Amino acid sequence: WRTLNASKGPAVRATRCQADRVLYRGAIRRIVESQPNLTLFQAAVEDWFTHCLGLNYAEQILRHGIGFPTARTECDFMRPCRLGEVLELRLVLEQVGRSSMTLRFDGSVHGEARLRARSVLVAIEMQHGRPQPIASVLRERLQAYLALCEAHA
């Protein structure tokens, strides 16, 4: 803690606390991710990378320096979920752009639609946070998965 304008009168003094942004962000993320009965779309995206695309999401970040933050999300809730119900998420790839992809999340409980969300993820190089074209290996897998999604639509 630090007092600003300590040499001035009490009317202009203020206390200030400075936190490390990286540590704070990590701590808050761990708190949110460990909340019981809370589903995060990011977890579904990471599982999708691994199980459907055959790529390790963490490896994309750590080894290749490429991240996929969410640039936009919109969600329509059809019906509420009750405490104790398990929301099943189905992820559908809708579009692949130069440096982005659009994912749709269909949420249901026992086959009954509860929500539909769309997220746009952008490929960025982690060092500077700038958009980057989707790598050819990932693009090929995305295109193959997109064809599969369109065939089952």
Side-chain angles (χ1 to χ4, degrees):
W1 291 91
R2 183 174 156 201
T3 302
L4 301 176
N5 298 320
S7 63
K8 310 242 184 217
V12 294
R13 288 186 201 142
T15 54
R16 175 180 168 197
C17 177
Q18 185 168 345
D20 185 311
R21 281 184 67 204
V22 174
L23 290 175
Y24 177 78
R25 186 181 320 157
I28 291 300
R29 182 176 177 136
R30 281 189 297 280
I31 290 168
V32 170
E33 288 177 344
S34 66
Q35 281 298 115
N37 301 318
L38 177 66
T39 299
L40 299 175
F41 290 148
Q42 184 61 31
V45 170
E46 291 177 20
D47 289 346
W48 175 70
F49 258 76
T50 302
H51 300 296
C52 297
L53 299 178
L55 298 170
N56 185 306
Y57 187 86
E59 189 175 284
Q60 300 300 307
I61 295 170
L62 299 172
R63 182 178 290 174
H64 303 293
I66 304 298
F68 300 92
T70 301
R72 177 188 168 122
T73 295
E74 56 187 41
C75 185
D76 295 316
F77 294 93
M78 288 94 157
R79 294 199 45 176
C81 290
R82 306 279 183 235
L83 185 62
E85 290 182 329
V86 175
L87 181 68
E88 188 176 310
L89 284 178
R90 178 175 166 256
L91 194 146
V92 177
L93 178 63
E94 290 191 325
Q95 182 178 355
V96 178
R98 185 179 91 69
S99 62
S100 67
M101 62 186 92
T102 302
L103 304 175
R104 187 181 79 226
F105 301 88
D106 296 327
S108 63
V109 174
H110 301 298
E112 179 183 36
R114 299 295 178 95
L115 71 86
R116 176 166 280 178
R118 278 188 180 76
S119 289
V120 176
L121 280 61
V122 178
I124 63 164
E125 48 92 13
M126 297 296 289
Q127 188 173 6
H128 300 289
R130 294 189 188 113
Q132 166 143 338
I134 294 172
S136 60
V137 171
L138 176 56
R139 178 171 297 284
E140 289 170 9
R141 293 187 189 198
L142 288 170
Q143 294 293 358
Y145 191 83
L146 181 60
L148 185 66
C149 289
E150 290 171 346
H152 287 97

